[in-house]
Amino acid sequence: KSKKRFTAIGSCILIIFILAWYTLRYIETKVMPRGAEVLHSYAETNMFEILNSTINETIDKYGIDYTDLVDISYADNGQISSVNINYILANKIKSEIAMIISEKLNDQDEIPVYVPLGAFSNNMFMMGKGPRIKFILVQRGCVQADFEHSFESAGVNQTLHTLKIVLDADV
């Protein structure tokens, strides 16, 4: 009788071990990658919001427009002879933007993101359905800012000067 009881207990333990192993493998191969995809998408959206709001806040703070950043020199005949960038103001702006974005990123708390259980299946009818699994998003990073400018043809005897701020965010 004790041998049968020992065999039954051993079988139950083995079955529990196998179920636990398959559950962990499922979580490792299906749940975690899908959770990472959702978190990555959420992090990108959050990052774009931070970038755009910081640029708008900085431009509004200084009241900057094109003529503040660019000095246009004219020849005697009225034609443009040179376009010079105000590098002091441009460097001040790009440094402030990079610093504010980095601060906003690093000051964020943990962000809870809830993913429906159906998102982990390959069934399109289950997407967005079921109880939600909680993931925690922690964003940290740094940003480098720089200005780029270019000249492009904009028609007959016309040239378009474009000044852009380029942000390289490593999050």
Side-chain angles (χ1 to χ4, degrees), residues 124-152:
M124 65 183 238
F125 298 111
M126 296 298 292
M127 291 291 182
K129 305 284 192 259
R132 301 186 180 278
I133 297 174
K134 181 180 179 181
F135 288 87
I136 301 295
L137 174 64
V138 179
Q139 277 186 286
R140 300 290 181 258
C142 63
V143 176
Q144 293 180 337
D146 204 359
F147 277 99
E148 286 183 0
H149 65 103
S150 62
F151 293 94
E152 299 174 27

Side-chain angles (χ1 to χ4, degrees), residues 20-164:
W21 187 81
Y22 275 111
T23 301
L24 291 173
R25 288 291 296 153
Y26 179 77
I27 289 171
E28 183 181 354
T29 60
K30 298 285 186 195
V31 175
M32 296 309 285
R34 180 65 181 141
E37 287 176 19
V38 171
L39 290 176
H40 184 266
S41 173
Y42 190 91
E44 278 186 342
T45 302
N46 189 37
M47 185 66 190
F48 285 125
E49 288 174 4
I50 290 172
L51 294 175
N52 289 326
S53 68
T54 302
I55 291 170
N56 288 334
E57 289 167 10
T58 306
I59 289 173
D60 289 345
K61 176 182 174 182
Y62 289 103
I64 301 167
D65 63 4
Y66 180 78
T67 57
D68 296 326
L69 291 169
V70 175
D71 180 35
I72 301 173
S73 300
Y74 296 93
D76 292 337
N77 61 2
Q79 291 183 342
I80 295 174
S81 61
S82 69
V83 176
N84 300 311
I85 302 215
N86 181 349
Y87 284 105
I88 294 171
L89 180 59
N91 286 332
K92 183 177 183 178
I93 291 168
K94 77 177 186 178
S95 296
E96 185 165 336
I97 287 173
M99 186 176 61
I100 291 171
I101 291 171
S102 293
E103 286 174 2
K104 284 183 179 181
L105 272 177
N106 294 323
D107 287 346
Q108 284 185 335
D109 291 329
E110 295 177 343
I111 303 168
V113 178
Y114 297 91
V115 182
L117 190 60
F120 300 107
S121 72
N122 289 330
N123 186 336
M124 65 183 238
F125 298 111
M126 296 298 292
M127 291 291 182
K129 305 284 192 259
R132 301 186 180 278
I133 297 174
K134 181 180 179 181
F135 288 87
I136 301 295
L137 174 64
V138 179
Q139 277 186 286
R140 300 290 181 258
C142 63
V143 176
Q144 293 180 337
D146 204 359
F147 277 99
E148 286 183 0
H149 65 103
S150 62
F151 293 94
E152 299 174 27
S153 176
V156 177
N157 293 331
Q158 294 193 13
T159 303
L160 173 66
H161 179 237
T162 305
L163 183 62
K164 302 177 201 174

